[in-house]
Amino acid sequence: MRCSASGTKLPPGRMGVPFFGEMPNFLWYFKHLRRPDDYINSKRHKYGETPGLYKSHLFGSPVIIACSPSLNKFVLQSDANFIRQWPTAKIFGINSLICAQGQAHTRIKSFLLRAINRPDALRQMAVMLQPRVISTLQSWSQKGTITACKEAEKAFCGQSGLCILIRTAELPGFVAIHAFSLGALSAIDESSPVTFANIAKHFAGFEPGPVLDTLDELFKGVMHGFRAYPLDFPGTAYHHAIQCHTKVWEIFRVELEKRKNNPDGAKARNDLMDGLMELKDDEGKRLRDVEVLDNIISLVVGGYESTSLSMMWAIYLLAKNPAVLQKLREENMNLSKNNNEALITAEDVAKLTYTKKVVEETIRVANIAFLVFRTATKDVEYKGYTIPKGWKVVLWLRYLHTDPENFEDPMCFNPDRWNGSVKPEAFQVFGGGSRICAGNMLVRLQLAIFLHHLAIAYKWDLVNPNAKMMYLPFHKPEDGVELTFSKL
């Protein structure tokens, strides 16, 4: 085993070629072979079993790859030893939950958890998002018919951004270019507008219209750039993202000033921005305006991608697994028959036991994003190996969810695995430690409600059931899940 210049024992691995490191090898597995898990499997085969860590050089830095549940948990729960430095505060704001460190992070997160995850907030979100979900599903059925599908040309769902993805557990990013042909629609393109509209309404009270359309485009620019290498000069995605963030921040600042000048309207709006403006900590202090703005913006970005991609994967996986869809449909039909109202409540969702299993299995199989980055603040010893100070630690979360040692037959979509046999430490979709996703309950709630209305009233078929998978910049079928869609 080679040691570093200081005599510490580094994990096994290779640093690759000068400047590029192991990126060519990484891209070979992810883009050419389309077998991303074999990138880690090849290291396990070459170097034997280790405590789940390997040295490498990826994304421009020397790194330690962490790919075991115990090591990932160790890093995620060691805030003093491993800090987050990417994405940069220039894009999301130094006061946002994603960028704040130490006591500032703890303080802001306590505000957000009270504003987002308290029962009355979830009940409000359940009621607020359903009209748009229902109307969107109705519009899908009007666009897609069996006859039109036969004549449709194959649509291609585009993507942008570098081949680096941040974990959805911490702050996901997503861009989809609207593209569909007559009679066939792309699930990822169609789910994004309803998701963004719901989140913009619930978080900041924005209604459909020119301002919301402008925000949608600006957020796409932000999300494109936060994956990019931080080169801040005209023409780069990073520079464009900073410009978009500045414009978004100004739109939200104007909205915040309106609310400060009209405090009596807060009861009517009753959204997250008002909630953050009114919340007080234990000392009776409120969030500063810049803290409210930075966190509203970062939360909109986070909720937008995680739910959009979850919807896409739910549609795809249910189409590929009709037996699962049938059980899901039966459970939700029974609820619908016993419910005189068109809308369901958060309490109704809590009763949908099989639906909740489908939600968990969907986000496991989807692996919406697969990496989390940390930086070691000092030399850290772990089971005989040293993680050197200043090195990046890449938490390879995808591998936890596709390793047969953690999940039996991991590539199979099997909601029944959630009957109680899942190892909790191996399921890190929402991260862990102090930075576990603040909005994980919202993601689950919105996906469950979407599945309810989808299952009780609609049927769909994949136009390209054998479409190849792509893994960069995120995991999805190559055609974006092109399908025909109609009422039952």
Side-chain angles (χ1 to χ4, degrees):
M1 180 64 61
R2 294 179 61 185
C3 296
S4 69
S6 62
T8 58
K9 184 179 179 182
L10 295 175
R14 60 187 295 268
M15 305 304 286
V17 299
F19 184 75
F20 294 105
E22 263 208 311
M23 285 305 297
N25 195 38
F26 170 87
L27 294 173
W28 173 260
Y29 281 102
F30 275 77
K31 291 185 71 70
H32 181 73
L33 295 181
R34 304 189 191 219
R35 297 203 304 265
D37 300 317
D38 283 349
Y39 177 73
I40 300 297
N41 288 332
S42 66
K43 294 183 180 297
R44 294 181 68 176
H45 178 75
K46 183 174 183 177
Y47 302 112
E49 295 297 325
T50 71
L53 70 171
Y54 303 93
K55 68 180 179 183
S56 185
H57 194 287
L58 293 169
F59 314 115
S61 302
V63 303
I64 298 296
I65 294 173
C67 54
S68 75
S70 58
L71 175 54
N72 286 11
K73 182 179 179 181
F74 171 76
V75 173
L76 289 170
Q77 293 184 346
S78 304
D79 290 344
N81 296 334
F82 302 99
I83 62 173
R84 179 164 195 158
Q85 292 184 323
W86 188 73
T88 69
K90 283 187 177 182
I91 292 182
F92 290 112
I94 194 171
N95 301 290
S96 66
L97 185 66
I98 190 70
C99 296
Q101 303 285 350
Q103 291 184 346
H105 176 268
T106 301
R107 175 174 174 269
I108 293 171
K109 186 168 184 178
S110 69
F111 274 98
L112 295 180
L113 287 176
R114 279 180 284 163
I116 295 176
N117 284 344
R118 67 180 191 272
D120 58 328
L122 294 173
R123 282 193 289 269
Q124 178 189 348
M125 183 64 170
V127 173
M128 183 179 293
L129 66 87
Q130 287 183 76
R132 284 193 177 90
V133 170
I134 293 170
S135 64
T136 297
L137 291 173
Q138 289 173 344
S139 72
W140 289 8
S141 66
Q142 293 168 2
K143 292 176 180 177
T145 65
I146 294 175
T147 303
C149 178
K150 293 178 181 179
E151 300 174 357
E153 294 182 355
K154 181 179 179 181
F156 182 80
C157 177
Q159 77 286 335
S160 63
L162 291 180
C163 52
I164 303 171
L165 204 91
I166 297 179
R167 185 72 188 95
T168 187
E170 310 215 334
L171 189 64
F174 162 66
V175 170
I177 299 174
H178 186 73
F180 63 89
S181 52
L182 180 63
L185 52 98
S186 174
I188 192 169
D189 295 328
E190 294 295 322
S191 61
S192 298
V194 64
T195 301
F196 184 73
N198 279 331
I199 291 171
K201 171 66 175 177
H202 180 65
F203 285 7
F206 287 110
E207 297 287 354
V211 174
L212 187 63
D213 294 340
T214 299
L215 282 172
D216 194 7
E217 291 303 313
L218 291 173
F219 272 111
K220 287 179 180 179
V222 171
M223 292 183 288
H224 182 184
F226 90 77
R227 297 190 189 104
Y229 196 82
L231 298 175
D232 188 8
F233 56 82
T236 65
Y238 181 74
H239 179 79
H240 179 65
I242 293 175
Q243 290 182 314
C244 289
H245 174 268
T246 300
K247 294 175 182 177
V248 167
W249 205 89
E250 180 59 22
I251 292 174
F252 278 81
R253 186 197 66 77
V254 171
E255 177 64 23
L256 185 143
E257 289 297 327
K258 289 180 181 178
R259 294 173 183 228
K260 290 172 68 176
N261 295 329
N262 181 26
D264 294 337
K267 186 174 182 180
R269 291 185 299 263
N270 196 24
D271 56 29
L272 180 61
M273 179 177 279
D274 281 327
L276 290 178
M277 291 171 66
E278 294 300 320
L279 276 177
K280 297 179 182 179
D281 61 18
D282 294 337
E283 298 178 358
K285 296 180 180 179
R286 288 190 171 97
L287 287 173
R288 294 172 292 132
D289 288 354
V290 292
E291 291 176 318
V292 172
L293 293 171
D294 282 351
N295 283 286
I296 284 288
I297 292 170
S298 64
L299 285 170
V300 171
V301 175
Y304 183 37
E305 183 202 46
S306 56
T307 310
S308 295
L309 290 176
S310 296
M311 287 179 180
M312 180 205 75
W313 274 105
I315 292 170
Y316 175 84
L317 292 167
L318 291 171
K320 299 282 281 187
N321 295 271
V324 173
L325 175 57
Q326 182 60 31
K327 290 180 67 174
L328 177 76
R329 183 165 281 150
E330 289 173 358
E331 179 179 70
N332 283 274
M333 285 287 197
N334 288 334
L335 174 65
S336 182
K337 290 176 182 177
N338 296 325
N339 192 345
N340 294 326
E341 303 293 331
L343 306 185
I344 62 173
T345 66
E347 288 76 14
D348 290 330
V349 171
K351 301 173 186 176
L352 296 171
T353 55
Y354 189 73
T355 301
K356 289 189 290 185
K357 295 176 190 176
V358 173
V359 168
E360 297 300 291
E361 185 70 349
T362 297
I363 57 180
R364 182 195 71 85
V365 173
N367 278 302
I368 294 170
F370 60 97
L371 305 178
V372 169
F373 291 84
R374 292 290 186 270
T375 301
T377 60
K378 61 181 180 180
D379 286 356
V380 179
E381 299 296 321
Y382 183 79
K383 295 188 177 181
Y385 295 106
T386 297
I387 301 173
K389 177 181 178 180
W391 280 40
K392 298 290 190 298
V393 180
V394 183
L395 304 179
W396 219 276
L397 300 186
R398 173 189 166 86
Y399 195 73
L400 304 188
H401 308 136
T402 59
D403 185 354
E405 293 181 7
N406 299 326
F407 293 92
E408 183 179 354
D409 196 6
M411 307 313 291
C412 173
F413 181 65
N414 177 22
D416 287 325
R417 75 171 75 247
W418 296 92
N419 289 334
S421 60
V422 172
K423 301 176 183 177
E425 67 277 9
F427 186 61
Q428 297 182 11
V429 166
F430 294 105
S434 67
R435 290 186 178 272
I436 192 169
C437 173
N440 68 82
M441 297 304 294
L442 277 180
V443 172
R444 288 177 162 115
L445 176 67
Q446 186 161 350
L447 183 55
I449 288 175
F450 173 77
L451 288 174
H452 169 77
H453 291 288
L454 179 73
I456 64 174
Y458 298 95
K459 59 183 179 180
W460 62 97
D461 292 292
L462 299 174
V463 174
N464 304 297
N466 299 315
K468 292 182 178 180
M469 289 292 162
M470 57 185 297
Y471 298 94
L472 297 175
F474 51 79
H475 178 203
K476 71 179 183 70
E478 199 169 49
D479 71 338
V481 187
E482 195 181 351
L483 48 90
T484 57
F485 197 88
S486 59
K487 291 186 176 181
L488 283 173

